Amino acid sequence: MHILKQFIIPIVFLFFSISTYAQTTSAISGTVKEDGSREFITSATVVLYNQDKSKALNGTYTNKYGFYSLPKVLPGDYILNIRCIGYKDWTDTIKVATGKDMTFNVLLPVQAFEGEEITVEGQYMTGSVHTISRAEISSDFILKMPALGAESDVLRSLQMLPGVATSSELSSGIYVRGGTPDQNLYLLDGIMVYNPTHLGGFMSTFNTNALRDVNLIKGAFPAEYGGRLSSVLDMTMKEGSKEGYHGTAGISLINASATVEGPITENSSFMFSARRLYLDLMMLALSKEMRESAISYYFYDLNAKVNWEIDEKNHIFLSGMFGSDVLSAPSSNSDEFGIDWGNTVGNIRWMHIVSPKLFTNFSLIYTKYKFNSGFSFDSNRSKFTATNGIQDLTFRGTLDYFPLEAHKIRAGAEVINHNFNVFTIDDMVVNNIPVGDSLFSEFNSEKKLKAMELGVYVQDEWQISELLQSNIGFRANYYPNGQYFNVEPRISLAYNFWDNMYLRAAVAQSHQQSHLVTRNDINLPTDVWIPSSKDILPGESWQYVLGFESEIFKNYTFSVEGYYKTLKNIYEYKDTVSWFSTARLNEQLTNGGGEGYGLEFSIFKKVGKLQGWIGYTWSVIKSQFDELNNGQWFYPKHDRRHDIKVVLTYNLNKDWEFSADWVYSTGQPFTMPTSAYYFGGDGNVNTPGSNDLFDFYDLKYQYSGRNEYRASAYHRMDVNVSRKAKLFGLPIVWTLNVYNVYNHMNPFTIYIGDEYNPNNRTSQYVLKQMTLFPIIPTLGVRLSF
């Protein structure tokens, strides 16, 4: 309790002292919104010029809620300019009086943009230090990209960025600079999402039609983000148009979706989006025998947001997401199973502008991930149900404070209450006789865990000089379960050493209180989250980044970044642990670590008829666990030595648009048998599988070290053609998507199989590969109203 008081008192003092800071200087502030919809515009550039616009005197950019502030403005006449790519500029002549704060809430009209990018003037317009290791992709661009099954997906699109890898062609999970998917912080409107994918990782739970902004920070993220080791995916949902009722509806090979938005009252709006995979409905077209022998699967997800503008200084936002996957066994099976899992999240947020220099947000957040499974055997004579998951309740407060012209301070605090259900048995029947709950009471008590997580941070974006910028901050965390307290430094620097040329560097430490551990004995989403405790240490990482960026040609940005990352206290299940193990958690797990390093080269073009990027990554990822691979270092499955990615979209005219992507990567590491032998029998078998005695022998393999071999290189090209038209007077977009255009047989898995030789009637064991997706053409249609 004494430690808790020491932790909370400075937080309260920080908020109180900053909030009561005396306003002694003039400031210009306001919000920037899109004209019509009145949605906030993020990263709009705000510049204060002298009277003849020959010199930029002060400048900033809007935060993710559209707010900006220019403090310490001297009395005089100025020109205020606000601009953002895709919108018309706003310019006005203003007169600043002594000690009088001014507010300019600006609406920027949307501007169809096909020409050259407007040249950005002034030191404050480019090179913000907050852009290090950051990639921003608009939801509109994601919808234009080629996609498997004509269904655009956020995580699959991010896999095409330099420094981002995947474990397999089936998975939409992202491995960022050597980190695993559970080490990524997934935020949807500030809500932490634990399970970001549907079945097998085939598709993410984030509906692109519901998103406004998608930002990926690949490493060394600032102090405002905590609780994860590798990266941050920060997504913002659309707020809903106040201009009128709009929507889209689409259908593809595998799913259908619809989104609608519009005003509720003059000062409030809503957005609602729904999506459903209909593989179960497609099965109705099959014969009765085929339906009874097939597994049934479907998922759906819902996104909703309500935006209420109480007045110019107060907004209330209510946002949430609900999704569920349902998988069931063939009805013809004597043994049956049913599995469902999904997310339920919600956030009520109050945005309050205290003064022209102080902007605040307060959120109450609910997060739940659940996995339920039910099995029955012997014609329902025996059955059981089980549950695992996690449920959180979070309170978060943040503020942006602009005390001086060269400083932008961001601070915040959060308290998270966790309830973990590692794996509990809810009901069991054996030979039609119910088994009492008391039999599992001790087992379940070991699996239901509570934990708390407290964090506080402060960071200062400091314009040290005209050429040097910094983001210096720290984050402090306290985990009462194991009484772990740590302070994480976060430092970023950007140096403008030549015109439009920047050197950037960053170093950051981070910790992760919750661990995701993966089952080795079942290939379903039964991975479980567990908290740190006296026996289970929080994960820890250090990240170092050094990069160079320049506009080599007009509208073309070249960048190169090198990084090094260390990981400690990473947990996996031991190879000998089964799903039903009753051992204590710390006895089931093994502790390890790893490191990753690499170089990323990229060329981006974000405006004009032709947009996209070309990226190359050279990287090394290594892991080490004392109780795995005999304690030797090994390469995990997502290690890719060389990775090339090309993503391009081209707007031919107002009706036709083309897009294509191409990816090449070093093959996936795998563990390979180096020899095989038969155990048992009388040894009277000359060739494996050559006579009837084969059935009496147990085939044994001797394996190489973990992941010592690699599959052949992976590469493929996808293309997409879009045609805009009208249907009953409404805009419609037809899409033709071709996945794996040149039908390359990429290896999905490597396995040992036997080949029978009819000439000498013998079998021989050989190494085989399975290909998952050949060339797949699909049609899709999207209707707007």
Side-chain angles (χ1 to χ4, degrees), residues 655 721-725 730-735 780-784:
D655 294 329
V721 181
S722 299
R723 171 73 164 89
K724 297 179 181 178
L730 296 175
I732 191 172
V733 179
W734 295 95
T735 61
V781 61
R782 187 169 68 252
L783 175 71
S784 300

Side-chain angles (χ1 to χ4, degrees), residues 17 70 103 125 171 188 215 221 225 302 443 543 566 582 606 610 618 652 684 690 732 742 748 751 767 778:
S17 60
L70 298 171
T103 300
M125 304 289 285
S171 175
L188 181 66
N215 295 290
F221 39 86
Y225 299 106
L302 309 173
F443 174 83
Q543 300 185 53
T566 63
T582 58
K606 294 186 178 181
L610 177 68
W618 173 86
L652 180 64
N684 192 28
S690 62
I732 191 172
Y742 50 83
F748 173 69
Y751 64 98
L767 195 64
T778 53

